[in-house]
Amino acid sequence: MPDWIGQKRKRLLPGYAVLPLIFAVAVNFTVYGGAQLLALDLPRHDIASPLDNRLPFIPQFLVVYLGCYLFWIVNYILIARQDKTRCYQFFTADFLSRIVCLIFFLAFPTTNIRPDVSGPGFWNHAMRILYALDLPLNLFPSVHCLVSWFCYIGIRRNTAIPLWYRRCSCVMAILVFISTLAVKQHVVIDIMGAVVLAEVCLRLGRIPVLYRTYGRIFDGMYHLFTLRIHHQHQRSQCHET
């Protein structure tokens, strides 16, 4: 790895946070995609309430529903930049939450009834694309809401981050909740389940035996990785001389 790349990476993320962050992204996609394949033919439950059926369909909220990916990237990096203990506690919680999600996706598969968006117009066309790409699977708990709430509670008590940004993160998470209902991707109980799961897992992630075990695994992986980079750097210097 060139020195200038390593320096830029260190300014963005401490070394101990890189692998946990990459692992969290990989686990998220593996759980979500893998559960869809494994539960594709299983019977599904519609857990929509009368309230959900009365809520309006507002396709313009697609901007928030898709735009939240930027929110996730920024806040997960902010969380990973915290000291090693808090970083490992958070990513332990994140990992535990995905395991619970996988269990629910396979043991209690859910679905919902989407509105007819066959009419003309930009927003209807955009919704048809979303519905075609994102099937009504893996709904309870909502991963969209889970990650968004993690983005808030992961920095909720971090006084190094300005209070205004922490409050904005809370507002953004709530807007994501609303967006999942407005575009009819989720129902109210999906959101409730996501919030409860995030809060419980965050507390579980602070259990010493859990986050220290997680930390030892990634400390070992990081040590092996940096050792290999160091040896490659030494070999390249020898070739140059």
Side-chain angles (χ1 to χ4, degrees):
M1 180 186 296
D3 291 340
W4 65 272
I5 295 178
Q7 292 171 1
K8 287 183 177 295
R9 192 270 303 157
K10 288 178 182 177
R11 284 198 292 268
L12 180 65
L13 280 175
Y16 58 78
V18 175
L19 293 178
L21 185 57
I22 294 173
F23 182 70
V25 174
V27 168
N28 186 70
F29 282 107
T30 300
V31 166
Y32 196 84
Q36 284 196 345
L37 292 175
L38 293 173
L40 196 59
D41 297 324
L42 295 178
R44 300 192 168 273
H45 309 274
D46 184 353
I47 54 177
S49 67
L51 173 61
D52 292 299
N53 296 329
R54 290 195 296 269
L55 292 175
F57 172 60
I58 311 174
Q60 289 80 4
F61 263 96
L62 187 61
V63 173
V64 177
Y65 186 82
L66 296 179
C68 68
Y69 284 92
L70 178 60
F71 170 55
W72 296 350
I73 293 169
V74 171
N75 278 43
Y76 264 60
I77 289 175
L78 288 175
I79 293 166
R81 284 168 59 90
Q82 299 179 114
D83 62 82
K84 182 183 283 191
T85 296
R86 285 193 289 180
C87 173
Y88 285 168
Q89 287 175 342
F90 175 82
F91 284 107
T92 299
D94 190 78
F95 174 71
L96 292 173
S97 73
R98 296 315 188 280
I99 298 302
V100 175
C101 283
L102 180 62
I103 293 171
F104 271 103
F105 294 160
L106 298 179
F108 186 69
T110 54
T111 188
N112 65 358
I113 299 174
R114 293 167 162 179
D116 178 18
V117 288
S118 58
F122 170 80
W123 293 110
N124 281 345
H125 179 66
M127 287 304 308
R128 285 195 292 271
I129 294 175
L130 175 65
Y131 285 171
L133 295 175
D134 194 1
L135 300 176
L137 309 172
N138 297 348
L139 302 184
F140 178 84
S142 165
V143 174
H144 239 73
C145 299
L146 175 69
V147 176
S148 297
W149 197 242
F150 264 139
C151 282
Y152 166 56
I153 64 177
I155 63 171
R156 182 167 52 194
R157 294 185 175 88
N158 187 349
T159 55
I161 296 174
L163 180 60
W164 68 265
Y165 186 81
R166 285 180 275 156
R167 288 176 174 172
C168 286
S169 293
C170 181
V171 171
M172 183 60 190
I174 293 172
L175 285 174
V176 173
F177 296 171
I178 296 171
S179 77
T180 65
L181 300 175
V183 301
K184 299 298 181 179
Q185 285 287 87
H186 288 282
V187 295
V188 172
I189 195 171
D190 297 337
I191 300 172
M192 296 170 62
V195 171
V196 171
L197 178 59
E199 294 285 356
V200 170
C201 286
L202 192 69
R203 284 155 179 77
L204 291 176
R206 293 174 181 154
I207 297 175
V209 68
L210 293 180
Y211 78 79
R212 287 173 184 167
T213 300
Y214 180 95
R216 281 195 294 270
I217 293 171
F218 281 93
D219 281 344
M221 292 172 62
Y222 180 66
H223 176 71
L224 291 174
F225 177 75
T226 53
L227 192 64
R228 181 178 179 182
I229 294 296
H230 177 69
H231 287 163
Q232 288 178 342
H233 183 65
Q234 284 186 323
R235 284 198 297 269
S236 65
Q237 286 184 325
C238 291
H239 288 312
E240 289 174 1
T241 55

